[in-house]
Amino acid sequence: MNTMKTSRYAAMGVAIAAAAAGLSTGTATAATGPVSIWIGPGPDLLSCKATTQKCAVTAYTSDMSTPVTITVNGKTIASGVPVPSSGTAASGQFSTMWVPQTVGTNTVTVQQGGNSDSATLQIMDNNSPEAFAQRTEAFLQAQVCKTGSSSMSAGCMNGTGGVH
């Protein structure tokens, strides 16, 4: 008799577990992981630093099914579903080009579902004396690096990395 009760309880337990498993598979949602932003240089020396200069903005995410929205100062500049990215640790990316139009502090944000990441950039006027000075400095630095002057070539190994 004990065996009958145990078998009946075991059968009921299996039936309840099977019913619960059926419910959970129908209500499962795609896992959303963190999203991160990368802002990289464009074709010009002052890309991502000055107005009217192209700037690459990329969102990296592990969720390939939820759309990503990229905003600048709260205004949407691009939205779409990430695509597989080759050669990176992240499984997906969504990229766009942004051309800064506003001088001063600009906040670029990527958002996917409830996850977001942002970076703040200080943008100068492309025609300002500061922009001219930075272009002149970069030109002179390139000339020093070409000639191999040992007293001033310490900065010749700088990279073209992006922002966070």
Side-chain angles (χ1 to χ4, degrees):
M1 188 140 142
N2 273 346
T3 308
M4 288 274 279
K5 281 186 179 178
T6 305
S7 296
R8 190 172 17 176
Y9 290 130
M12 286 174 37
V14 169
I16 290 171
L23 288 174
S24 66
T25 29
T27 58
T29 57
T32 56
V35 61
S36 61
I37 189 172
W38 184 83
I39 300 175
D44 187 86
L45 165 75
L46 296 181
S47 294
C48 304
K49 297 178 184 178
T51 57
T52 71
Q53 299 302 314
K54 289 182 180 179
C55 181
V57 180
T58 303
Y60 289 97
T61 180
S62 57
D63 180 357
M64 300 285 287
S65 62
T66 304
V68 172
T69 300
I70 300 175
T71 62
V72 176
N73 299 329
K75 181 181 175 187
T76 300
I77 61 167
S79 186
V81 178
V83 296
S85 57
S86 59
T88 65
S91 59
Q93 68 182 27
F94 179 74
S95 299
T96 192
M97 292 298 279
W98 167 54
V99 180
Q101 300 297 319
T102 306
V103 173
T105 303
N106 287 259
T107 302
V108 183
T109 303
V110 295
Q111 183 161 1
Q112 184 183 46
N115 298 306
S116 66
D117 192 16
S118 62
T120 302
L121 301 172
Q122 197 63 34
I123 303 296
M124 70 181 104
D125 186 318
N126 192 42
N127 297 315
S128 69
E130 181 183 10
F132 177 77
Q134 285 196 18
R135 282 190 175 94
T136 302
E137 179 184 353
F139 174 77
L140 293 173
Q141 182 67 32
Q143 296 307 309
V144 167
C145 290
K146 281 183 186 177
T147 62
S149 172
S150 62
S151 64
M152 296 183 72
S153 62
C156 292
M157 296 302 292
N158 61 1
T160 60
V163 175
H164 160 14

